[in-house]
Amino acid sequence: MPASARIHTDNTASEGGNQICMKLCAWLCKYHFKVVDMYQLMVGHTHDETDQDFSVARHRLNREERLDTIDDFAECLRDVPPKVGCTRIVEVLTGVHDWTGFSKLHVTVSGHTATAQKANDGIYTVHLFRLCQARNLPSDERASVVSHGDPKPIVDDDDVVLLCKQHIHSNAYSQAPQLF
C-alpha cells in the first residue's frame, strides 16, 4: 500500500467539504496511510478528468426516460464505456459506516466553503486539507498543534492532525495545525 492518498473533489459541502468525508480521510490516515490529502480546486478550475468523465455518463443518463431505482441508475452507469486504459466499477452501497463517533475529539470543520460575502470580507476558501499522523510532523509543527478548547494538547504519535492551506501551492498553513 502506498504511504499517501490523494482525493480530489469539487469544493462543495455535497462532495468533499463536509464532516463525513473529513472523518473518512482521518480514518484512512490513522489506519492505512501516513498522509491523506484532500484537494479542492478553485472555482472555475474544476473541469478536471472527473468532471469530463461524468459528462460522458450524463449523456447516457439523459437518454433514459425513467430511472426508478438506484439499481436502474447503477445499471445505466455500467453501460457507460470507461476511458481508454481504465476500468469502470459501479457498486450500490446498502449501508455505510457511522463516522460520527470516529474522531477522538469533537472537531467541527466548517467555514471552508466559498461564498460571495466571505470573498468580500477577505476570507478565502481552503483548497488543501492534509491529514497526517502526528509522528510524521516536524517537531516545530507538532508543537504548534491546537485542539478544541485546548491550546496545548498532549499529542500522541498515533493522533491524526489536520493541516489546511489556502492553495495547493501555498507555503504556509492557513490556520494552526488541529488535533483531529
Side-chain angles (χ1 to χ4, degrees):
M1 174 127 1
S4 63
R6 288 186 183 168
I7 299 170
H8 295 261
T9 66
D10 278 345
N11 197 3
T12 66
S14 65
E15 280 194 31
N18 61 60
Q19 302 286 329
I20 294 169
C21 192
M22 197 68 68
K23 288 181 179 182
L24 168 64
C25 290
W27 180 84
L28 289 170
C29 179
K30 186 163 183 84
Y31 296 109
H32 296 285
F33 301 99
K34 291 180 181 178
V35 175
V36 175
D37 287 336
M38 187 164 46
Y39 293 102
Q40 299 169 345
L41 298 175
M42 295 174 61
V43 173
H45 297 277
T46 60
H47 300 292
D48 59 3
E49 290 180 1
T50 305
D51 287 341
Q52 292 168 13
D53 194 37
F54 187 75
S55 72
V56 175
R58 183 182 65 234
H59 290 295
R60 173 64 182 89
L61 292 168
N62 285 340
R63 289 197 312 257
E64 292 297 316
E65 240 180 82
R66 287 176 67 155
L67 296 170
D68 292 324
T69 68
I70 191 71
D71 290 320
D72 293 342
F73 185 79
E75 194 56 42
C76 185
L77 289 177
R78 286 184 188 105
D79 289 343
V80 177
K83 293 188 326 185
V84 175
C86 295
T87 303
R88 181 175 316 284
I89 300 170
V90 178
E91 293 184 40
V92 175
L93 301 177
T94 57
V96 295
H97 182 78
D98 181 2
W99 299 106
T100 57
F102 168 71
S103 181
K104 177 178 175 180
L105 304 168
H106 177 69
V107 175
T108 301
V109 180
S110 63
H112 297 297
T113 55
T115 66
Q117 184 59 50
K118 285 181 186 177
N120 290 339
D121 294 341
I123 301 169
Y124 299 100
T125 305
V126 171
H127 292 97
L128 169 63
F129 297 95
R130 171 168 285 169
L131 292 126
C132 68
Q133 298 167 356
R135 72 171 49 86
N136 298 316
L137 284 175
S139 58
D140 60 328
E141 288 181 13
R142 189 169 173 158
S144 66
V145 171
V146 298
S147 171
H148 183 71
D150 185 357
K152 290 289 183 189
I154 296 171
V155 180
D156 297 324
D157 280 349
D158 291 333
D159 286 339
V160 174
V161 176
L162 172 65
L163 307 166
C164 297
K165 290 186 175 184
Q166 183 178 355
H167 300 290
I168 294 168
H169 62 275
S170 298
N171 291 324
Y173 297 120
S174 59
Q175 65 187 47
Q178 184 175 352
L179 186 62
F180 205 87

